[in-house]
Structure formats: C-alpha cells, structure tokens
C-alpha cells in the first residue's frame, strides 16, 4: 500500500482512499497506523475524536476509563495550562488489541507533576469468549445507521452466537436522545474554559439577545456556552444519574459488554460537511452520535475493525463496558479478532 496522508482543510486523508476523510481530531495517528507508518500511536477523545478515526481507518482504538490516563498538557488548552476538560481522555491506537493492552499499561500512571502515590491495577478479564454475556444495541431512531453498518453488526452477532456466546438484543440502558442532549450541554460548557475574555463577553451578549422561543442550533450552542454554574451543577447531577443507569445495566442485567455501531457509515468524502445514510441526509454530527453515548459518563470503549464494504472502506463497531473494565474490552476485541479473522476488516460486505 502506498500511503497518501496529506493533510487538507478537513483533516487527514483515510489511508484506504485519499478521497475520504480519516476523521478527527486524531485522524493523523489513525491514518499513520493504518498505513503501517507506525505500529501504534496516541490520540485523544472528547467527542469521539479517537474512536471515529479508528473506525474510518480500520484500526483498533481505545478510549480508556476516564481518569486512568493523565490529560495534563492536552492541546487545545493553552501552553502551561494545568487543568483539562472533565471529559477528554487520551488513548492508544493500534493494529491489534494486544498492542492497545501494552500501551494501556504504559499510560496508566498519575501525572508526574501531581506527585500522587496511586497506582492502578486494572482487573483482568473475568470470562473467556464462550462465557461472555453480550448485549447488542443495533439501532436507534435518534442516530440511524446505514445498511452496511447494520449488516456488519448482524455478522458479529451471528458469529458470537455460533461460538456459544450469550448474545441479547437491547434497546439500550439510557435514552439516546436525552443522553446526547446532556452530552452536548456538558461539551459546550467544558469547551469554554480557554475562551478569551473578549470572545466570552461577545457570547454572553449574543445569548442575552436571543428570543426565548429561539430553538435554533445557534441558540442552543450559545445557551450552553453561557450557562450558569447552577445550571451546570444540575447537568452534572444528571450525568451521575446516567452513570448509575449504565452501572445497573452491566451489574443488575449481568452484561459483560455492550456492542454498538461505531458510526453510522464508513468514511465520508473528505470535501463534505454533510452525512448521508442510505440516501438520507443527516446531521453532520451524527458521525459521533454512538461514540458520544459514553463520552460524558467515564465508561471505557473500544473500536474494533470488522469488515470492509464494496469500496474497500473499513467498518467497525464499538465495545462498551463498565468503568475499569478496559482489559475485559480488550480481551473481547482479541476474541473477536480470532473469531472473525486476524486481518482487520477481513469480512467483505
């Protein structure tokens, strides 16, 4: 393969097709791993910024449990900025789950500047492949997926069931619409930290001038960017309620892992700002809708390459588990690699 990874205004090009985007913001690392320029790399994930490129480029990507990997010094915060977003999580990208496991070991350390004595020892996977209890959230009207993505999930579901895995369909532990709305509110709030005073004042003035009935995306954006601390505290309380719902889903319903789509479609054209799902135009931000189910509730998730469509573009899926189940997710990813074929994206749709 001759890599073609030139950057352009929309980000890095997918190593499988230079006319397609590699996703972002960690598109460069994902494309480099896919093109065999490096065996592994690092990215960061706030709103699917690591997992979407992993999906588009056909590599493995881990968003660890929030807090395991220090984010101090993460860009785009200004130089010497000490704090980081309450949702951003650095994580590794690789061509095999075992490499993610090695990198997770290396990355799971407190920040040297914090002088902290803690040392995390993540639990090992509790069950083998045949003993897994897997839930599959295959579709939601809030973020429709394409036929190829649905076929990929069905292939994985069938392969697991044929291997003796306990597989169940689910409509999800939380409301997709409510979870996404809360995520967007918290995302816009955390993104304001590094805004300069002049820009912040302009946003406050613009929000003040909004008509109370204005429900446009711009109005929602401005209200979230200028919300009061009291409003944020209430949103944060709701975030913790969502975490409890996820916890009950895994603990009480006895699920080891949840499988969801990684994104609605394979990599989209690099020069577009729209998303088309089986001929129907959707919001551009639906690309990360499934990834953002876990971005604000601290859960670990892994993108696993599974298939390639007729154009040779990778299609992956997302594995989600309870907090600190990172090793279980990596074990499941490795089990799927052996079950479906070691070569990422070996199945053709």
């Amino acid at each position: 393969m001759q890599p073609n990874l030139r950057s352009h205004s929309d980000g890095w090009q997918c190593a499988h097709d230079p006319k397609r985007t590699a996703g972002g913001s960690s598109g460069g690392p994902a494309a480099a791993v896919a093109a065999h320029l490096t065996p592994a790399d690092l990215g960061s994930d706030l709103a699917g910024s690591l997992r979407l490129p992993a999906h588009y480029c056909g590599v493995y990507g881990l968003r660890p449990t929030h807090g395991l990997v220090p984010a101090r010094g993460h860009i785009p915060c200004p130089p010497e900025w000490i704090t980081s977003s309450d949702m951003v999580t650095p994580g590794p990208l690789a061509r095999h789950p075992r490499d993610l496991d090695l990198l997770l070991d290396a990355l799971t350390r407190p920040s040297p500047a914090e002088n902290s004595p803690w040392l995390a020892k993540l639990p090992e996977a509790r069950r083998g492949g045949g003993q897994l209890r897997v839930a599959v959230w295959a579709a939601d009207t809030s973020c429709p997926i394409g036929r190829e993505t649905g076929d990929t999930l069905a292939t994985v579901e069938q392969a697991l069931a044929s291997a003796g895995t306990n597989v169940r369909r689910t409509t999800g532990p939380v409301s997709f619409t409510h979870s996404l709305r809360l995520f967007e509110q918290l995302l816009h709030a955390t993104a304001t930290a590094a805004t300069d005073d002049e820009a912040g004042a302009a946003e406050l003035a613009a929000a003040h001038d909004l008509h109370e009935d204005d429900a446009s995306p711009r109005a929602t954006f401005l209200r979230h960017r200028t919300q009061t601390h009291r409003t944020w505290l209430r949103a944060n309380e709701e975030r913790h309620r969502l975490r409890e719902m996820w916890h009950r889903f895994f603990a009480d319903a006895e699920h080891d892992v949840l499988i969801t789509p990684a994104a609605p479609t394979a990599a989209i054209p690099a020069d577009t700002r729209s998303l088309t799902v089986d001929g129907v135009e959707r919001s551009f931000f639906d690309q990360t809708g499934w990834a953002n189910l876990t971005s604000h509730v601290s859960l670990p998730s892994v993108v696993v390459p599974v298939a390639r469509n007729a154009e040779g573009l990778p299609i992956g899926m997302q594995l989600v588990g309870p907090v600190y189940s990172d090793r279980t997710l990596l074990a499941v990813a490795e089990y799927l690699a052996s079950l479906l074929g070691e070569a990422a994206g070996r199945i053709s749709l």
Side-chain angles (χ1 to χ4, degrees):
M1 172 171 52
Q2 294 296 321
N4 186 341
L5 306 180
R6 289 176 293 119
S7 181
H8 52 77
S9 59
D10 292 313
W12 286 86
Q13 296 168 324
C14 178
H16 302 273
D17 182 351
K19 297 185 181 66
R20 305 279 176 159
T21 179
S25 56
S26 298
V33 172
H36 290 241
L37 299 180
T38 177
D41 212 323
L42 296 177
S44 62
D45 197 304
L46 175 62
S49 293
L50 182 152
R51 288 167 290 165
L52 185 66
H55 165 67
Y56 280 174
C57 292
V59 299
Y60 291 87
L62 168 65
R63 177 190 165 103
T65 297
H66 185 79
L68 279 180
V69 181
R72 180 166 177 169
H74 175 260
I75 296 171
C77 287
E80 307 302 325
W81 196 266
I82 295 175
T83 60
S84 184
S85 164
D86 60 347
M87 294 192 291
V88 72
T89 301
L93 296 136
R95 292 191 296 275
H96 196 280
R98 286 194 293 269
D99 293 327
L100 294 183
D101 197 35
L102 289 171
L103 284 166
L104 181 62
D105 262 344
L107 293 167
T108 306
R109 299 286 188 276
S111 173
E114 294 173 2
N115 198 30
S116 173
W118 70 260
L119 180 64
K121 182 173 176 57
L122 290 172
E124 298 295 332
R126 294 183 300 168
R127 293 179 176 82
Q131 300 172 305
L132 288 170
R133 302 166 304 182
V134 176
V136 178
W137 189 356
D140 197 283
T141 56
S142 297
C143 190
I145 61 174
R147 178 191 58 79
E148 294 174 334
T149 304
D151 289 347
T152 300
L153 279 168
T155 297
V156 171
E157 188 176 3
Q158 182 178 2
L160 286 169
S162 298
T165 303
N166 182 353
V167 184
R168 311 174 199 170
R169 283 282 176 119
T170 179
T171 54
V174 298
S175 162
F176 198 117
T177 301
H178 172 69
S179 179
L180 185 60
R181 187 181 299 122
L182 180 64
F183 164 76
E184 290 176 347
Q185 179 180 353
L186 293 167
L187 173 71
H188 293 320
T190 194
T192 63
T195 303
D196 63 57
D197 291 344
E198 184 178 353
E203 288 182 344
L204 280 170
H208 182 266
D209 290 341
L210 290 172
H211 192 278
E212 63 180 11
D213 294 331
D214 189 345
S216 66
R218 174 180 175 273
T220 300
F221 172 79
L222 284 170
R223 290 187 182 111
H224 288 340
R225 294 270 297 182
T226 59
Q227 63 189 284
T228 64
H229 188 216
R230 178 174 179 272
T231 300
W232 182 90
L233 288 171
R234 288 175 174 263
N236 191 47
E237 172 69 15
E238 189 58 33
R239 166 167 40 189
H240 282 273
R241 293 183 186 276
L242 279 184
R243 286 176 180 169
E244 287 190 355
M245 294 171 69
W246 278 99
H247 174 75
R248 290 195 298 270
F249 174 78
F250 288 114
D252 299 346
E254 299 185 335
H255 297 123
D256 295 310
V257 62
L258 172 67
I259 299 179
T260 79
T265 68
I268 65 174
D271 58 352
T272 186
R273 291 289 291 177
S274 64
L275 172 69
T276 302
V277 181
D278 290 345
V280 177
E281 187 167 349
R282 297 284 305 176
S283 166
F284 184 70
F285 299 102
D286 272 11
Q287 291 178 88
T288 56
W290 289 92
N292 290 334
L293 286 168
T294 66
S295 293
H296 54 321
V297 290
S298 302
L299 301 181
S301 49
V302 179
V303 166
V304 177
V306 174
R308 291 197 186 188
N309 65 12
E311 298 173 278
L313 297 173
I315 296 178
M317 62 186 178
Q318 177 175 232
L319 309 180
V320 180
V323 290
Y324 304 116
S325 67
D326 305 58
R327 294 206 188 283
T328 294
L329 295 184
L330 295 178
V332 174
E334 186 167 356
Y335 175 65
L336 285 170
S338 64
L339 194 64
L340 302 171
E342 287 286 348
R346 187 170 180 175
I347 299 170
S348 297
L349 299 175

